[in-house]
Amino acid sequence: MTSQTIIDPPEDGHFRNGQASNGSAPSPTTLSIHLTINGRDHALDIEPRVTLLDALRERLHLTGTKKGCDHGQCGACTVHVDGERVLACLTLAAQVEGRSITTIEGLADEDGTLHAVQAAFLEQDAFQCGYCTPGQIMSAVACIREGHAGSDEEIREYMAGNLCRCGAYPHIVAAVRQAAEGLRS
Amino acid sequence: MRDFSYLRVDSVEAARNAAALPGAMLLAGGTTLIDLAKCGVAEPATVIDISYIEGLNAIDVTADRAVIGALAKMSHVADNAEVKSHFPAVSEALWQAASAQLRNMATIGGNLMQRTRCPYFRDPQNFPACNKREPGSGCSAIGGVTRGHAVLGTSEACIATYPGDLAIALVAFDAEVDLGERKLKVEDFFLAPGATAEREHDIRPGEVITAIEIPGSAAARRSTYLKVRDRQSYEFAAASAAVGLELEGDGRTIRDIRVAVGGVATKPWRAREVEDALKGKPLDEATVRKASELAMESAVDHGANHYKIALAPRVIARAILQLGETA
Amino acid sequence: MTAHDMKHAGSDSARLEAVGGRLSRVDGPAKITGAARYAFEQQLEGLTHAVLVGTTIAAGKVTGIDTRAAETAPGVLAVLTPDTIMELNSASDWFGRQPSEETYCPLVREVTFSGQHIAAVVAETLEQAVAAAALVKVGYDETPAIVDLSDGSDGIPVDAMTKEWGDAEAAFAEAPVRVCASYNTPREFQAAMEPHGLIARWEGDELTIWEPSQWLDGMARTYAEWFGVPFENVRLVSPYIGGGFGSKALALAHSAVAAAAAKMLGRPVKLVLNRPQNFTSYGGRAATRQTVAIGADKAGRIQSIVHRGVNETAVDGMWVEPLGSVTSIMYATPNFSSKQNVVRVNTVVPGAKRAPGENPSAFGIECAIDELAYELGIDPLEMRLINYAEQDPHAKKAWSTRQLREAFAAGAEAFGWARRSREPRSMRDGHQLIGWGVAAGTYPVRRAYGEAVVKLLADGSVEVESSSIDMGQGTYTILAQTAAETLGVPVEKVSVRLGDSHFARAGVTGGSRLAGVMTGAVYKAAGQALDELIGLALSDPRSPFHGLQANTLQVKGGRIAAPRGDGPEFSIAELMSTLGREKIEAKGDTVPASFTPEQRYNNYTTIAMALPHTEGEHSRHSWCAHFVEVRVDEDFGTVRVSRVVSALDSGRLYNPKLAESQWKGGIVMGIGQALLEEGIVDRRHGRIVNGNLADYMLPTNADIPDIQTISVGIPDPHSSALGGKGVGELGIVGVAPAIANAVFHATGKRVRDLPITLEKLI
């Protein structure tokens, strides 16, 4: 059987590329991984099945990223991986080692200056309970960057993956529109 | 979720080898696999992460042919200017699927492996009977809540709807799936349940999707994907249609037409009856509506999904007529 | 923990900061940066994770639970079953009534609905607990279940719901114009984005619970009774709540499991329901069925309304969704009869969801009056004005305030109602049939007694404390505004601390009562603190104001001076320093002085002490009128709401910016109710098959048009200390009938069963 390049389960506590010699599956074990989150390196020992969402919330205490459904049905866990919005609940933590992860905690400047989207959400009152809000904001930042905030109709469609039960949608559209206009000028 | 091993591979060859391991499942975007693992439907012993394989995400499009790497993200294909220009139905099927976040994760190859949304399939704890999960165990959906279930291509073993959008456009335009050693028509890659509901794809152990290829055509250039659903967005289709149209020089006689329907069948469903009835005919509303009805000739409902038999032809007809209005 | 940094609070304009100003949310910066730590996001040393196992049958007995595989799974600390979980005392209900049983087991042997908690696995990590829970094997002896309303008999009469005057049946029979139809609403769910869950930690006999809660004191009482510890030993912490909509006011079975597990293990336990469990661990809005018969004369004047309603309840619990509540007050009628039954089915006990009672009640009467309008050929808006109730037709009392006529006028004007063409199917745009519909809504003013603590600190800052909560309505913000205005300090000097049961007590946050109760309490407490400050300033020999012969002093912008400004002026901090005071603390309440300690306790921990909305001379309600445009695809039957204009009377608004958000939120939820939301039961299994956020469909952003809200309220002194009426529930009431009426106008089809899905129109 041809050899395959794999990432071995660690025996020495380090997660690395390696060559599997016999093609047999390794048994489940704990992985030691490093995640780059908001520009900082975080070391983690986790089982392979741990999602990025649970790694953030339960291990790294970055609870800004919310769990609403855990199945990709609500958008509350939206984060950026290499600059693109994705759902942390359907992403394995191990899968994003080596990629750059941004969460809501990393959006404002170090000095606390809000991102234009955050400021617009506050001004437009684009949230009530606040639970879906980090996901909405991460989604909105990406929506604008993707060029999908050209009209209210486009904003509605491209923000449809973030449910808000408080029903802040009209204000979310206003906030995204305002931030998009601000970022364009 | 059961624990599993995680292997990251960096070549297609390594992926094929790893895919042959017992209990191995490939992980690309994760939007199906991780979801179903949480449901207790997928129980991989080893998850083979293929998302780092280089060179599999290319999107290469000309008027003659689109070749899309298996790891290209749905969002990137949807937004690709050449795809929009030469294969608008493909772009439209993609951007109307799922949500922006899921489209940034899900890959084209993974999309073809998407599983049904049948609530009985997705809930083994409460509904042990499911021929897709456990051959011979029965079908919990038949006799149950069937509003979203299929009316075409069903069997006594399974009535689960194929939920995707992209593949509807792919079968309309005779796309092929590249499995390395073999290439298959996408239409043949998907299997209707028959007596073997557990077999959804013609894919063998150790095979890995590397690309899809879509031949260019005048019909593909003048094409659209129309999706009808309860919610305006972020929902699977109640009924959808991928349609391509080529008219004769007179601007009203149909030279070539492609029709496939989604949301109503157990697999991506090419409606050749409709195509045959319309080729050479004038593009007018009455003709189109009448021909569109033919798509449902073999339809069988299970109660609450009866409306799909009325709805799908209307979706087909609207899509064709809308295309006719665009020059 | 719950003090908010005010630097992003928006404007420095005093008008914005005062009560009635459009101040941005003071808790906003914490929420938009991810800094806001919700209840079960607290990080505790030694935290363990619990996962529940639910029944897979709807009725029957558990014959055995095989926990062996789960117990030996990696990381598992305990598997709890009815046999192994510690025994709890039964707790009193939310009226404070003592339970009939002595003991309580939150894990069941007798199954009364599918998804009922039967076992729980506690493990070191969440992943381990989830995996082990899947290994628990349960044996059942299944018996037939009553699945839904259509299964049962006519049910059990609820005599307390009967409202009658005149001779309604005879008057209906004699009326020259009659309509009679049935209206059905399905099981609907609150579906807050934050799931139910909690962290429980015991330290000796003291229990701390971090749990999203609409009622800290009520839930603390339940925990205290379950575990037989003094009320004071239980601390509920709930700094932010990720949406409640009625679902988070009670300590539930899963809460008891987590607290018991924590006690048994001696370690803190976190238990968060997964999304499907959220659909079965607390009941949604009960499915309802109503028949509304209206008889009128040829001029459209209603002669009689006969109303019969049924709602589902549980086999082992009672929920009454008051279906005659709007029916009995919206229109003037000389003859009226409303009766209601409940039918027991195998479901979790239904619960409160935004505007319980009024919401489905309005769906019946507001559709029926539309049908009557078409029967008579009268414009539906005109129909409502013809039958305008000048006083409460049921209580026979004057309205405290009722700006409903103004709402109809303002809404119609902004919507352009006068341009409506009367006939169904008479307006279209290509394949889209356009329909315009109107409906009214109302919600009673629920009042209660409240208390609050206001502290003036040495640095001139102010703290407000209350165990009430903010689940997005804006409590943090409006209480800051109230304190700032009352004390005369800039709002950024005020920090509001909520969501801790060790703060001044508060009753339930529900029925749109909190803003009225709490602004009144803070107003009173802040006034007391101010009086004390001024009193000291005038009387204390160390004070620069001492001996000025002034009767009083004035505080403005945080500075204190004589009212005419002709004397010295100091900041509060300077004055406090001169007086040598660390703080001035005032606990203000609106509780009658005659109340005993037990009455006070019951005031905050039960709903038995709430004041009737028809107490005294007046009948108190908020009111609204919704104008809706729908577009229905003539081929597909899909309905999209393309325009909403709503005019609402919530009395005085404490913060219009936040009130508008709540109104719009209610309207959005109403759009979901009208078009999308339905808990679908598999009749063979008595189980909801769409208990998740993909299949139980909430509206997305793409389903919601721009919504215009118009405030037509005036201060209502009979409803609250500062003149406000309810906001949060009102917005949803009347939305579904307005949409159903618009769909009829668009299509000529009267859909009387919610939701209005496409198959009902093709």
Side-chain angles (χ1 to χ4, degrees):
Chain A
M1 186 172 280
T2 359
S3 70
Q4 52 184 288
T5 304
I6 60 169
I7 292 176
D8 272 340
E11 286 160 17
D12 52 4
H14 294 288
F15 188 58
R16 56 178 161 69
N17 284 307
Q19 298 287 314
S21 53
N22 56 8
S24 66
S27 55
T29 181
T30 302
L31 303 173
S32 293
I33 64 168
H34 288 261
L35 295 181
T36 307
I37 303 165
N38 303 327
R40 295 209 182 95
D41 179 86
H42 296 264
L44 274 172
D45 292 329
I46 51 162
E47 294 172 334
R49 63 183 165 183
V50 174
T51 62
L52 175 59
L53 179 58
D54 288 328
L56 291 170
R57 286 175 64 83
E58 304 294 342
R59 275 80 175 178
L60 299 171
H61 305 170
L62 288 166
T63 55
T65 306
K66 304 301 184 193
K67 183 185 281 190
C69 70
D70 213 24
H71 281 272
Q73 302 167 348
C74 78
C77 66
T78 303
V79 298
H80 295 176
V81 171
D82 288 347
E84 296 204 322
R85 49 173 158 164
V86 301
L87 300 178
C89 74
L90 296 182
T91 302
L92 294 180
Q95 198 183 358
V96 288
E97 183 178 44
R99 305 210 187 268
S100 170
I101 299 152
T102 308
T103 70
I104 189 70
E105 290 92 344
L107 198 59
D109 287 349
E110 289 282 324
D111 69 359
T113 306
L114 296 176
H115 185 282
V117 171
Q118 290 172 312
F121 265 64
L122 188 58
E123 188 178 332
Q124 297 292 342
D125 204 37
F127 56 96
Q128 293 174 45
C129 81
Y131 198 78
C132 75
T133 309
Q136 299 279 359
I137 290 173
M138 297 309 287
S139 201
V141 169
C143 177
I144 295 167
R145 194 153 59 207
E146 292 159 8
H148 289 309
S151 67
D152 285 3
E153 194 185 2
E154 192 179 24
I155 292 168
R156 288 189 184 107
E157 170 59 36
Y158 280 85
M159 290 298 292
N162 292 84
L163 301 182
C164 170
R165 189 52 158 167
C166 296
Y169 297 130
H171 293 182
I172 290 169
V173 173
V176 176
R177 183 201 310 132
Q178 175 185 323
E181 283 166 2
L183 291 167
R184 269 196 292 271
S185 60
Chain B
M1 195 178 347
R2 204 172 90 174
D3 205 5
F4 48 73
S5 305
Y6 171 83
L7 301 183
R8 194 185 279 185
V9 297
D10 61 7
S11 73
V12 174
E13 194 187 10
R16 289 198 183 107
N17 291 334
L21 294 172
M25 299 184 88
L26 299 185
L27 174 72
T31 56
T32 291
L33 179 59
I34 306 303
D35 174 39
L36 288 181
K38 289 181 181 183
C39 292
V41 173
E43 296 194 307
T46 307
V47 165
I48 315 295
D49 183 354
I50 59 171
S51 63
Y52 285 78
I53 298 175
E54 288 184 11
L56 273 193
N57 61 355
I59 305 169
D60 186 7
V61 185
T62 66
D64 292 338
R65 177 164 294 271
V67 181
I68 301 171
L71 290 181
K73 303 289 190 189
M74 289 173 73
S75 57
H76 296 180
V77 180
D79 286 348
N80 182 285
E82 299 298 310
V83 172
K84 285 185 188 174
S85 160
H86 297 298
F87 303 92
V90 171
S91 170
E92 291 170 19
L94 284 166
W95 76 252
Q96 290 178 76
S99 70
Q101 292 94 312
L102 290 162
R103 297 192 295 268
N104 278 341
M105 304 169 73
T107 64
I108 295 301
N111 183 274
L112 296 185
M113 302 299 289
Q114 183 180 11
R115 308 293 301 275
T116 182
R117 302 295 300 188
C118 171
Y120 300 96
F121 167 75
R122 289 174 58 81
D123 189 356
Q125 201 82 21
N126 284 292
F127 304 108
C130 173
N131 290 320
K132 250 188 207 318
R133 289 195 316 257
E134 198 67 48
S137 62
C139 172
S140 293
I142 294 174
V145 175
T146 56
R147 182 173 186 263
H149 286 83
V151 293
L152 291 171
T154 58
S155 71
E156 286 177 11
C158 182
I159 59 170
T161 303
Y162 171 73
D165 298 296
L166 170 66
I168 312 305
L170 296 181
V171 302
F173 300 105
D174 298 318
E176 293 183 312
V177 54
D178 189 344
L179 295 166
E181 302 283 299
R182 331 183 267 156
K183 276 188 189 175
L184 280 176
K185 283 272 176 67
V186 171
E187 195 179 358
D188 300 327
F189 177 71
F190 286 95
L191 306 173
T196 53
E198 72 283 5
R199 284 201 71 215
E200 293 179 353
H201 307 99
D202 182 357
I203 191 166
R204 299 165 191 164
E207 282 188 329
V208 175
I209 301 171
T210 56
I212 55 166
E213 295 186 25
I214 321 170
S217 63
R221 267 189 300 284
R222 187 177 188 170
S223 68
T224 191
Y225 184 76
L226 181 60
K227 184 173 181 180
V228 172
R229 40 189 162 172
D230 296 293
R231 209 153 70 170
Q232 178 68 25
S233 184
Y234 202 7
E235 193 195 351
F236 297 92
S240 68
V243 170
L245 184 65
E246 184 188 4
L247 296 180
E248 299 287 358
D250 64 3
R252 63 182 299 268
T253 307
I254 296 170
R255 179 186 294 167
D256 185 18
I257 185 162
R258 313 292 183 87
V259 179
V261 286
V264 294
T266 54
K267 56 173 278 187
W269 198 264
R270 182 84 174 257
R272 286 206 171 73
E273 313 84 342
V274 182
E275 298 176 2
D276 294 343
L278 284 173
K279 277 180 197 160
K281 299 283 167 25
L283 180 72
D284 66 63
E285 180 163 352
T287 309
V288 168
R289 280 188 179 265
K290 191 155 184 292
S292 298
E293 301 281 343
L294 298 173
M296 292 290 122
E297 274 198 321
S298 63
V300 177
D301 74 81
H302 283 79
N305 60 351
H306 181 73
Y307 72 95
K308 287 178 186 265
I309 297 174
L311 179 62
R314 299 178 187 195
V315 179
I316 294 169
R318 178 77 63 81
I320 296 170
L321 293 167
Q322 271 178 2
L323 274 184
E325 286 162 16
T326 60
Chain C
M1 149 185 49
T2 52
H4 294 107
D5 176 1
M6 296 292 299
K7 78 180 165 189
H8 302 296
S11 168
D12 53 0
S13 144
R15 206 173 56 78
L16 229 73
E17 297 179 357
V19 175
R22 302 181 67 87
L23 184 70
S24 289
R25 250 167 235 283
V26 302
D27 50 330
K31 287 178 173 174
I32 59 177
T33 56
R37 193 146 276 191
Y38 289 68
F40 54 68
E41 294 173 347
Q42 310 305 314
Q43 310 295 328
L44 299 183
E45 201 61 36
L47 187 65
T48 65
H49 296 264
V51 169
L52 289 162
V53 178
T55 57
T56 60
I57 62 165
K61 278 186 172 47
V62 175
T63 54
I65 306 177
D66 182 351
T67 59
R68 284 168 300 181
E71 277 164 3
T72 55
V76 170
L77 300 166
V79 180
L80 305 183
T81 68
D83 295 327
T84 60
I85 193 168
M86 65 180 286
E87 191 173 88
L88 305 180
N89 305 318
S90 286
S92 51
D93 68 8
W94 63 345
F95 291 99
R97 293 180 296 216
Q98 290 308 305
S100 51
E101 310 277 328
E102 266 186 30
T103 62
Y104 171 58
C105 185
L107 302 172
V108 298
R109 295 182 182 88
E110 303 281 330
V111 182
T112 59
F113 62 92
S114 185
Q116 206 166 7
H117 312 315
I118 198 169
V121 176
V122 190
E124 294 286 354
T125 71
L126 174 61
E127 291 78 14
Q128 290 167 336
V130 169
L135 300 175
V136 174
K137 300 268 180 290
V138 183
Y140 299 104
D141 184 0
E142 191 172 0
T143 53
I146 301 162
V147 172
D148 60 28
L149 274 178
S150 64
D151 262 8
S153 57
D154 290 343
I156 311 154
V158 186
D159 293 337
M161 291 290 108
T162 300
K163 295 174 181 174
E164 289 186 298
W165 61 89
D167 186 346
E169 303 214 12
F172 176 73
E174 288 162 15
V177 183
R178 287 176 290 181
V179 292
C180 178
S182 289
Y183 305 89
N184 301 326
T185 66
R187 221 174 268 182
E188 300 158 6
F189 293 90
Q190 300 86 357
M193 297 311 297
E194 177 196 41
H196 280 277
L198 70 155
I199 296 173
R201 182 181 69 188
W202 285 92
E203 290 164 308
D205 271 350
E206 306 211 328
L207 172 63
T208 306
I209 300 281
W210 289 266
E211 182 170 16
S213 169
Q214 295 180 231
W215 191 10
L216 301 182
D217 294 70
M219 285 168 65
R221 173 178 177 145
T222 305
Y223 283 104
E225 292 180 4
W226 278 339
F227 290 95
V229 298
F231 176 73
E232 292 71 22
N233 285 24
V234 179
R235 181 179 173 210
L236 253 285
V237 185
S238 192
Y240 304 96
I241 296 92
F245 316 112
S247 71
K248 289 176 178 166
L250 303 174
L252 302 171
H254 69 265
S255 316
V257 172
K263 190 160 183 76
M264 292 169 70
L265 284 170
R267 288 176 65 179
V269 170
K270 175 172 176 173
L271 188 158
V272 179
L273 300 180
N274 65 29
R275 186 49 68 174
Q277 288 169 345
N278 271 274
F279 285 79
T280 50
S281 299
Y282 180 71
R285 194 193 305 284
T288 73
R289 196 166 64 205
Q290 300 175 73
T291 305
V292 186
I294 311 181
D297 66 18
K298 294 211 164 140
R301 283 184 298 260
I302 295 173
Q303 303 301 306
S304 178
I305 298 174
V306 183
H307 174 252
R308 299 290 178 263
V310 179
N311 74 263
E312 62 179 2
T313 187
V315 167
D316 54 358
M318 182 56 79
W319 177 265
V320 180
E321 182 89 14
L323 294 170
S325 52
V326 177
T327 329
S328 60
I329 62 165
M330 188 57 87
Y331 300 107
T333 175
N335 300 286
F336 183 87
S337 169
S338 175
K339 292 181 179 176
Q340 183 166 346
N341 288 8
V342 293
V343 171
R344 293 194 185 277
V345 309
N346 287 94
T347 172
V348 63
V349 188
K353 183 183 171 189
R354 206 168 198 159
E358 277 71 16
N359 178 314
S361 179
F363 179 63
I365 184 68
E366 286 298 298
C367 286
I369 191 120
D370 204 73
E371 302 207 31
L372 182 64
Y374 277 94
E375 188 70 27
L376 282 154
I378 295 175
D379 178 272
L381 179 55
E382 180 62 24
M383 189 74 210
R384 288 167 167 83
L385 294 171
I386 290 171
N387 292 288
Y388 196 83
E390 300 292 350
Q391 65 162 7
D392 182 334
H394 177 229
K396 311 280 191 273
K397 290 181 181 180
W399 305 114
S400 57
T401 51
R402 193 196 206 213
Q403 297 287 99
L404 182 57
R405 196 175 263 126
E406 290 75 5
F408 284 133
E413 171 70 22
F415 188 80
W417 183 262
R419 297 193 307 275
R420 179 179 185 266
S421 73
R422 178 96 36 101
E423 286 308 304
R425 294 185 80 91
S426 61
M427 293 161 68
R428 72 157 60 219
D429 175 10
H431 292 290
Q432 293 177 334
L433 304 170
I434 295 174
W436 289 3
V438 63
T442 181
Y443 196 78
V445 176
R446 307 213 183 271
R447 297 170 304 144
Y449 305 117
E451 67 180 41
V453 164
V454 172
K455 299 177 191 170
L456 269 171
L457 302 181
D459 63 357
S461 66
V462 175
E463 283 181 3
V464 178
E465 287 179 352
S466 162
S467 74
S468 64
I469 58 98
D470 191 332
M471 55 180 172
Q473 338 88 293
T475 318
Y476 281 117
T477 311
I478 61 167
L479 296 190
Q481 289 172 282
T482 305
E485 178 179 280
T486 310
L487 290 165
V489 302
V491 77
E492 67 265 20
K493 291 281 189 190
V494 182
S495 88
V496 178
R497 293 146 61 88
L498 305 175
D500 187 326
S501 64
H502 281 184
F503 293 151
R505 288 180 190 171
V508 67
T509 296
S512 299
R513 83 192 68 193
L514 188 72
V517 172
M518 287 311 303
T519 51
V522 169
Y523 175 71
K524 193 151 181 193
Q528 285 172 216
L530 183 66
D531 287 348
E532 188 175 344
L533 177 73
I534 291 171
L536 283 169
L538 293 172
S539 64
D540 191 306
R542 289 168 294 184
S543 164
F545 298 102
H546 181 66
L548 275 188
Q549 307 293 323
N551 290 326
T552 189
L553 297 167
Q554 192 172 14
V555 184
K556 255 185 171 170
R559 300 186 68 79
I560 185 163
R564 278 179 298 175
D566 52 354
E569 182 190 300
F570 294 92
S571 71
I572 291 176
E574 289 163 341
L575 180 63
M576 295 281 282
S577 164
T578 309
L579 296 172
R581 291 289 293 238
E582 280 302 306
K583 66 175 177 184
I584 291 172
E585 179 171 334
K587 186 173 194 174
D589 68 51
T590 55
V591 181
S594 61
F595 264 29
T596 63
E598 192 187 348
Q599 282 176 307
R600 281 180 165 265
Y601 176 66
N602 285 332
N603 180 55
Y604 298 117
T605 61
T606 77
I607 59 165
M609 315 289 282
L611 296 162
H613 61 270
T614 51
E615 186 198 41
E617 305 287 303
H618 293 98
S619 178
R620 304 160 182 83
H621 305 260
S622 46
W623 303 94
C624 63
H626 302 289
F627 295 82
V628 172
E629 176 184 278
V630 298
R631 289 166 174 259
V632 184
D633 191 291
E634 63 178 341
D635 284 325
F636 308 152
T638 44
V639 182
R640 302 288 183 254
V641 175
S642 48
R643 217 151 58 87
V644 180
V645 175
S646 299
L648 307 101
D649 165 19
S650 288
R652 180 191 185 196
L653 302 181
Y654 307 128
N655 182 326
K657 183 172 187 168
L658 309 191
E660 287 160 13
S661 286
Q662 278 201 83
W663 283 338
K664 290 180 187 177
I667 292 163
V668 170
M669 200 178 273
I671 292 173
Q673 174 185 32
L675 302 179
L676 298 168
E677 298 183 31
E678 177 179 19
I680 302 175
V681 180
D682 182 317
R683 298 193 47 81
R684 303 164 304 174
H685 302 276
R687 180 171 184 82
I688 298 273
V689 293
N690 62 336
N692 62 71
L693 295 183
D695 299 316
Y696 181 86
M697 272 179 294
L698 313 181
T700 71
N701 204 323
D703 294 287
I704 302 303
D706 200 27
I707 296 169
Q708 184 184 352
T709 56
I710 303 165
S711 176
V712 294
I714 54 174
D716 184 338
H718 307 292
S719 286
S720 63
L722 301 191
K725 302 193 284 189
V727 173
E729 327 270 332
L730 178 66
I732 196 174
V733 184
V735 174
I739 291 171
N741 294 341
V743 167
F744 175 75
H745 183 231
T747 65
K749 276 191 189 172
R750 186 64 74 175
V751 180
R752 302 184 183 93
D753 303 313
L754 295 183
I756 305 171
T757 45
L758 57 88
E759 68 266 44
K760 296 174 184 173
L761 292 169
I762 59 173

